[in-house]
Amino acid sequence: MSFQPETLLVDNEDRIATVTINRPDKHNALNSQMLDELWAVFEALQEDDAVGGVVVTGTGVKAFAAGADIAELHQLRSKSGKRASSKGQAVMSLIESTGKPVIAAIEGYALGGGCELALACHLRVASRTAKLGLPELGLGLIPGYGGTQRLPRLIGKGRALEMILDGNPVDAERAYSIGLVNKVVEEGETVRTSREWLESIIKKAPLAMRTAIQSVHAAYPNRAQGFQDEARLFGYLCGTDDAREGTAAFLEKRNPGFHNR
Ligand code: COA
């Protein structure tokens, strides 16, 4: 890879690349720079014939990624919020459309944008101590990186609404039982399991694999409008006092007081 990302660690061993989100002091929260770097890394991995599959994970066992960076979310207003959502969505869609299998290896928290990143991967392996959730409503926001679109498709509308409206993360056992993750393994074992899984998957014909991924996604033909609506609605909320208050309350480590405006 010709450039060195600052927020990600990337390696390629035996045809399997590992992309590690590396902001441990912020529970691997996804900031704007990281989205740019994810974009560049996935474009490069897509083109690299030496790579047959990709594992996405976070540094350490405490967090896969605890969401979009709330300090950045706090600065957004309507227009910039819509732009930020569209940018996050574009990165997630690029990952989803990678023509090689991508597995999320989830240790610890996969919340908000972190959960949406896991949803954009083709398969998910979670540790027993993982927690997955979309807590954005507690910030006065909604999921803005495609979560309102991908989650219902994966686990059904009723369960998706439960996760989004309730906001409490689900543990690995529940995540497995509702089809949110594909495998559950011991803490610290998700990357090894994902690599082993990919080793067997990538023995199959690469062209057929790319085509299968493309064909499965063709089952959802009217995706664009849903994503546009999500970005518009996310932008709308970024312009409200409630979003400013919700994000400020998190940063100031206090409970929010919402005023419905
Ligand atoms: N954005 C920015 N910073 C974040 C963050 C995020 N999404 N998640 C965690 N951090 C930061 C905290 O502000 C804290 O920074 P500080 O040490 O400078 O104060 C640091 O990471 C550690 O987080 P902390 O909350 O102290 O850890 P914890 O173990 O008590 O709680 C979580 C862990 C994941 C439950 C909690 O951090 C959390 O709820 N994060 C936000 C989840 C969220 O709402 N995500 C949706 C955003 S789209």
Side-chain angles (χ1 to χ4, degrees):
M1 192 160 305
S2 54
F3 86 109
Q4 288 299 318
E6 290 176 357
T7 63
L8 305 170
L9 305 171
V10 184
D11 72 42
N12 180 18
E13 203 187 325
D14 300 330
R15 301 198 61 232
I16 297 169
T18 305
V19 178
T20 305
I21 300 159
N22 191 32
R23 272 187 95 201
D25 57 324
K26 296 290 178 192
H27 282 322
N28 297 326
L30 311 172
N31 62 14
S32 176
Q33 179 185 358
M34 194 185 289
L35 289 176
D36 290 336
E37 293 185 346
L38 276 169
W39 178 275
V41 163
F42 269 86
E43 275 201 328
L45 292 174
Q46 174 68 36
E47 295 302 314
D48 189 344
D49 289 338
V51 172
V54 185
V55 178
V56 179
T57 193
T59 293
V61 294
K62 285 185 88 175
F64 173 76
D69 189 307
I70 296 171
E72 287 188 357
L73 295 181
H74 183 66
Q75 302 301 325
L76 298 174
R77 300 296 178 265
S78 296
K79 271 192 184 163
S80 53
K82 185 174 175 210
R83 267 200 310 275
S85 171
S86 298
K87 173 174 167 170
Q89 287 179 353
V91 174
M92 301 308 151
S93 292
L94 178 72
I95 293 171
E96 186 179 53
S97 63
T98 304
K100 309 168 184 191
V102 182
I103 301 186
I106 305 164
E107 302 279 345
Y109 295 109
L111 301 179
C115 185
E116 292 172 290
L117 173 60
L119 289 171
C121 297
H122 302 133
L123 299 166
R124 284 152 290 281
V125 174
S127 91
R128 271 185 210 295
T129 51
K131 290 201 181 301
L132 294 91
L134 292 172
E136 284 89 345
L137 267 63
L139 300 169
L141 290 167
I142 57 169
Y145 293 174
T148 65
Q149 306 302 297
R150 288 194 180 89
L151 189 64
R153 275 184 220 131
L154 190 63
I155 64 172
K157 183 170 113 176
R159 286 169 175 149
L161 276 170
E162 178 185 330
M163 281 184 68
I164 292 169
L165 299 180
D166 174 281
N168 285 325
V170 297
D171 62 18
E173 198 184 327
R174 168 97 175 129
Y176 180 74
S177 76
I178 60 178
L180 180 53
V181 301
N182 302 88
K183 286 182 199 261
V184 179
V185 299
E186 294 305 320
E187 189 178 87
E189 290 295 317
T190 60
V191 172
R192 195 170 63 84
T193 304
S194 301
R195 288 188 64 88
E196 283 173 3
W197 202 6
L198 279 174
E199 275 165 25
S200 92
I201 293 174
I202 66 175
K203 285 185 185 136
K204 302 188 181 68
L207 193 56
M209 189 128 44
R210 186 164 74 228
T211 310
I213 292 169
Q214 202 181 343
S215 185
V216 168
H217 289 126
Y220 307 100
N222 300 318
R223 294 155 52 88
Q225 186 62 51
F227 284 113
Q228 278 167 25
D229 284 347
E230 183 190 78
R232 178 177 54 76
L233 295 166
F234 183 88
Y236 153 71
L237 287 172
C238 285
T240 64
D241 287 349
D242 281 356
R244 214 115 52 240
E245 165 62 9
T247 50
F250 175 81
L251 297 169
E252 292 161 15
K253 301 185 192 293
R254 61 174 172 80
N255 289 324
F258 294 122
H259 297 292
N260 196 28
R261 59 172 186 256

